[in-house]
Amino acid sequence: MTTVLETLRMRKRLRRSRSKNPALRLGLAFAALFSLLLVAGSLGLSLTYSNLTRDLPSIASLPPLFEPPAAILLQPTRLYDRSGEHVIASLQNPGVGERRFLRVPSPGSSGQTQAQEAFPPDLVEAIIAAQDPRFYQHSGATWQGVWNGAQPTLAQRLASDLLLWDEAASLRRSLRESLLAIQITDAYGREKVLEWYLNSAPFGVRVVGADAAARLYLGKPTVELNLIESAWLASAAGQPAVDPASDPEAARSRALEVLQSMYALGFITPEEVLSATQQSLSFRLLPSEDAGAAPAFVTLVLEELAAQITPSRLERGGLRILTTLDIDLQAQAVCAAATQMLRLNDPAAEAPAPDGATCQAARLLPTQTSSPENLPAGLEANLVALDPTTGEVLALVGARIAQQGSPGVGEASSLASAPLREHSAGSLLTPFIYLTAFSRGYVPASLVWDIPIQTGEMPVENFDGRFHGPVRLRLALANDYLVPAAQLLTQLGAQNVQQTLAQMGVIALKSGGQGRLTNMGDMQTLLESRFNLLELSQAYAVLANQGNLVGWTAGESGAPQAVNALRPITVLHVEDSAGNTWGPEAGAAIQPQERPVISPQLAYLLVHSLMDEAARWPSFGHPNPMEIGRPAAVKSGQTLSGRDVWTIGATPQILIGVWMGYAEADPPNLIAAKSAAGLWHSLMQYAHRDLPVQGWKQPAGISAIEVCDPSGQLPSETCPAIVSEVFSEGSQPNHIDTLYQKLAINRETGRLATIFTPAEFIVERVFMKVPPEATQWAKSAGIALPPDSYDVMLAARNRSPQARITSPQMFAYVNGKVNITGTAATPGFDSYHLQVGRGLNPKTWLQIGREGNRAVTDRLLASWDTTGLSGLYVIQLLVMNKDQSIATDTIQVTVDNQPPEIEALSPPDGERYEAAAWSEITFHLQASDDLGIASVAFTLDGSPLIQLAQPPFAYPWQAQPGEHVLTVTVTDLAGNTSEASIRFSVQR
């Protein structure tokens, strides 16, 4: 008997023998590796299957789409106005009648039932032959389309179009589609797959189902189709565009190909093929699309929906789309636009509302004071109404005169392919120049000069053909003066204005990603930049909404968008015909986004200027169409050619934008800017008829101060007019007005009076002090300029070389500590002293320094500390002789200890530029002084760039990557200096 010890020893020897056998060890390793791979593969397959089936739509949602009487897809997708009571569009070809659900005939069905309720067998077999030849062999899906994203089987197409329509194309989607197709075939059978496909397949644009296609293209129901007609209809299934009447031979050729496939599958005999080829195949002409109440608006809706719902799913039907359209406002906008255009030829014309009722908005149109005769065909008008707080489109109209003298007005056919056509924006863009200026320290009170200038190749002129001299920026904006805007554009730099437009959402990138204003170098280029009314109106809506942009974005699946490229909202709610809401969780609803793009303070400065009715009176008169009886920020615009006129304006509740002009040819007659303003007036009055009066609240950081007009500085005794202006924090004026100055002159000679001018000849007059570049304008405008010469003849005749002040010079500007040098060395010299007095004829005198008892020849006489002093002073040297006689010398100087003010500097401190987008950056300075600017020096990173003596104080710099410090030094005529430095960077 084996003992326990022996047993242990045997086991030990066995283990040793196994360890010495390499084949055995290798086998064990392979077994272990195979086990691990098997476990890993099983786990991987499990995870892959779990990933594929996660959130997989249920095939149980298919029967409710098809099965009568409550079949969802039996109703076309319809678009409703915001009340939900009016259908504005049906996504179904107008030639298609009521949708019918037909069955695929089963073996036991009667002939009568089949004729009334079922598809003919020829059509069923033709569909299989044309669309899924292996229909009866596969399980519902094949591997053929997994790698290329195709749907080779009918069941896969159902799964793709009705269950996975909201998933992006990918390998995962193709695998999920195959799983669903197999489940559908297994659960409902092949007859249901055929039946559902035949009732839901697209047959061209907005044509769903084989029966609807047969009635539209062939003029008969499917039960009456002959064999070749069934074959052609099967060839058209799933096609995005079908119009067989345009090429009947090609359509017949496709039908013959299907007949051959049917024969190859054994569905028909050779005799039936031959008989079918001899049958007739004729097609009906497609009916014209119904423009509906708002075709341009419908285009916008479909663009918004397409970002989340595929067009094919929309056209399949069964959806109820609640839009933002105000159907009443839309109807009034259509008839008011038509009436306004007709009145340009006939002041008594009036177009009825679309429903035949009276056009109430047309009754609110201002009277046309003048109009060109026989305006040619092609005159158009676009109109948009927005809610600036929600970004919702309330109305969108495109109207045109059909032919000369014709009262017919309808929607412009070109609007079907795009929301609105682009037109030259003209002066409608100038507010964004001023907004750019506001962001760099300017304010509505800032002084700008409307004088002859030239930018680019042509001189800039105002629409009224006149120049208006010094004006506040507010008035230049309100009256549409182009010259001040052109000067600011040059000073600020075109790319800075383009950046502002991009912030406001006005980008509309062209192919290649190039912004449309990249090459904007002068005012003419800006005026000719083309935009559509909707995007410009949305930019103005940002102002009305206190600097916030509201809208939707297509996201990653849409076209390339800039940071602030939000589009106006047109869809409020989506649900199917069964009442099931398609909410955000289903990925079918678009959520509005709100982005602050400019500060409320900047928005308010511009809105406050645009709502100033009195500011517009010099150009537009009073009353004018832009006055509606409540606060409204409004801007008119026009092009130099007169081809385009615009008006966009808003209250806090509603914005309305109007364009009128010619889209295809230059007009032989100019369109009055008030034509667009009149249409805007009528729609604003109508849209606000039941709304309370609202204005814009003044945001924190804005204050109102009384200033001198037009300088924008603090009032002085010579100020001709005082107005209240709004300022952002830190931009308030701190200098007394220097534009108007009271000067003493010799009434006989017209020269500046001096201490030598006889008192009876001295009179005081107020003069406008213009910069050198405005001198020519002032002379042509009859503006009296300050004299530039003094009464010095008497002074020169009486001066003695033994008693003379040599420095400072007569009429010099001085500041700080002034060293007075000269000669006091008369033959009978005893002593001398210096004294100063304020004004032309000082009443009191103040001695400077101590009395001198030694003769001085061209040396320092005394030092005068002028700290705290300002204005006109007289310095007098008195030399006493031993015989008690006195020799004198007198000079007149102006004391100025106030340094110049730097009012605005660009770029802003801390600005960051992208090198790829900024090839050139314009450095710009706005400065002022009570006497005048002598020079402005620009220094970059310690290296001098340029020194300028006259405005504009601007320097275009070729951008270079890196961190930079820009320093500007301003020196006035008295030698006072001010300096400012900013840091900015150009990113690589």
Side-chain angles (χ1 to χ4, degrees), residues 462-617:
N462 292 317
F463 291 113
D464 62 4
R466 299 186 296 119
F467 298 98
H468 308 88
V471 293
R472 282 178 291 142
L473 187 150
R474 170 189 298 273
L475 271 73
L477 170 61
N479 290 281
D480 220 6
Y481 297 155
L482 293 183
V483 174
Q487 294 187 57
L488 282 176
L489 179 64
T490 300
Q491 295 168 6
L492 298 169
Q495 287 182 307
N496 288 319
V497 176
Q498 182 182 0
Q499 186 181 44
T500 298
L501 285 166
Q503 283 182 285
M504 306 295 282
V506 182
I507 49 155
L509 298 179
K510 299 293 189 182
S511 60
Q514 295 299 315
R516 70 179 75 200
L517 295 183
T518 296
N519 299 319
M520 182 182 68
D522 54 34
M523 196 63 179
Q524 285 80 17
T525 305
L526 177 68
L527 296 177
E528 293 167 3
S529 300
R530 298 174 66 83
F531 301 93
N532 70 52
L533 176 63
L534 189 61
E535 60 186 327
L536 289 179
S537 296
Q538 191 180 23
Y540 275 81
V542 172
L543 304 174
N545 195 30
Q546 298 179 307
N548 296 306
L549 177 64
V550 185
W552 69 276
T553 179
E556 296 181 358
S557 61
Q561 301 287 326
V563 174
N564 294 322
L566 297 180
R567 304 181 65 178
I569 300 291
T570 59
V571 177
L572 294 176
H573 183 74
V574 180
E575 65 181 21
D576 59 33
S577 58
N580 303 309
T581 300
W582 289 33
E585 68 282 354
I590 297 174
Q591 291 299 297
Q593 300 180 32
E594 183 168 3
R595 297 174 181 167
V597 295
I598 59 173
S599 69
Q601 291 76 21
L602 283 178
Y604 185 80
L605 290 179
L606 195 54
V607 163
H608 196 272
S609 301
L610 293 175
M611 63 186 286
D612 190 339
E613 294 182 351
R616 287 190 290 268
W617 292 350

Side-chain angles (χ1 to χ4, degrees), residues 420-435:
L420 292 173
R421 287 188 281 203
E422 293 181 348
H423 310 285
S424 296
S427 59
L428 199 67
L429 291 180
T430 57
F432 303 104
I433 299 177
Y434 294 111
L435 183 60

Side-chain angles (χ1 to χ4, degrees), residues 251-266:
R252 188 175 187 88
S253 177
R254 289 192 293 271
L256 294 177
E257 292 176 3
V258 174
L259 290 174
Q260 291 298 323
S261 298
M262 294 176 70
Y263 168 70
L265 292 172

Side-chain angles (χ1 to χ4, degrees), residues 43-390:
L43 182 59
L45 288 173
S46 176
L47 291 174
T48 300
Y49 185 79
S50 176
N51 178 56
L52 288 175
T53 57
R54 186 175 63 250
D55 300 325
L56 193 69
S58 171
I59 62 172
S61 62
L62 286 177
L65 295 177
F66 298 100
E67 299 300 324
I72 292 175
L73 295 185
L74 282 181
Q75 300 296 326
T77 294
R78 293 188 175 97
L79 276 58
Y80 293 81
D81 73 327
R82 66 187 303 112
S83 72
E85 299 177 358
H86 305 278
V87 176
I88 61 174
S90 179
L91 302 189
Q92 178 170 274
N93 189 289
V96 175
E98 182 180 353
R99 293 189 181 184
R100 301 169 61 238
F101 184 83
L102 303 183
R103 304 286 184 182
V104 168
S106 58
S109 60
S110 66
Q112 182 179 5
T113 302
Q114 176 176 310
Q116 292 178 348
E117 301 176 357
F119 293 108
D122 284 347
L123 178 58
V124 175
E125 292 173 344
I127 283 288
I128 293 173
Q131 305 296 330
D132 192 356
R134 298 186 65 252
F135 179 74
Y136 290 110
Q137 283 76 47
H138 57 66
S139 61
T142 69
W143 290 102
Q144 178 183 349
V146 169
W147 304 110
N148 59 12
Q151 293 84 38
T153 74
L154 301 184
Q156 283 179 267
R157 293 178 202 177
L158 289 173
S160 175
D161 294 346
L162 299 175
L163 298 178
L164 297 176
W165 56 267
D166 58 341
E167 289 191 17
S170 65
L171 176 61
R172 179 177 182 271
R173 184 188 191 278
S174 296
L175 292 172
R176 285 160 62 86
E177 171 192 289
S178 298
L179 287 175
L180 287 171
I182 294 171
Q183 292 179 17
I184 292 169
T185 304
D186 182 63
Y188 299 111
R190 299 183 189 274
E191 285 185 3
K192 278 298 177 187
V193 171
L194 278 169
E195 187 172 282
W196 290 346
Y197 180 78
L198 281 165
N199 280 286
S200 66
F203 289 79
V205 179
R206 299 184 183 179
V207 182
V208 177
D211 187 67
R215 295 174 185 272
L216 176 67
Y217 300 117
L218 300 167
K220 60 179 71 173
T222 54
V223 70
E224 298 179 10
L225 300 180
N226 58 34
L227 182 54
I228 196 170
E229 289 172 336
S230 293
W232 172 80
L233 192 59
S235 73
Q239 298 299 314
V242 178
D243 185 8
S246 64
D247 193 352
E249 290 302 319
R252 188 175 187 88
S253 177
R254 289 192 293 271
L256 294 177
E257 292 176 3
V258 174
L259 290 174
Q260 291 298 323
S261 298
M262 294 176 70
Y263 168 70
L265 292 172
F267 290 152
I268 56 176
T269 65
E271 292 77 18
E272 289 174 313
V273 173
L274 180 61
S275 175
T277 58
Q278 298 174 356
Q279 293 173 345
S280 64
L281 183 60
S282 58
F283 303 100
R284 301 173 65 190
L285 295 174
L286 296 182
S288 300
E289 288 284 344
D290 182 11
F297 177 79
V298 170
T299 299
L300 280 184
V301 172
L302 297 181
E303 288 180 358
E304 182 174 346
L305 290 172
Q308 297 292 333
I309 306 175
T310 60
S312 62
R313 177 63 191 89
L314 281 173
E315 293 183 6
R316 274 311 207 297
L319 299 181
R320 188 175 186 272
I321 315 295
L322 191 68
T323 72
T324 62
L325 188 76
D326 184 324
I327 193 67
D328 177 63
L329 185 59
Q330 173 74 15
Q332 293 295 315
V334 169
C335 62
T339 299
Q340 183 72 336
M341 288 192 294
L342 292 174
R343 285 184 180 178
L344 293 176
N345 275 328
D346 180 6
E350 181 173 331
D355 59 2
T358 300
C359 184
Q360 298 179 40
R363 302 290 175 89
L364 299 172
L365 287 167
T367 302
Q368 291 282 350
T369 56
S370 63
S371 62
E373 296 181 358
N374 297 322
L375 283 171
L379 176 63
E380 297 185 10
N382 297 155
L383 188 147
V384 62
L386 295 172
D387 183 332
T389 62
T390 64

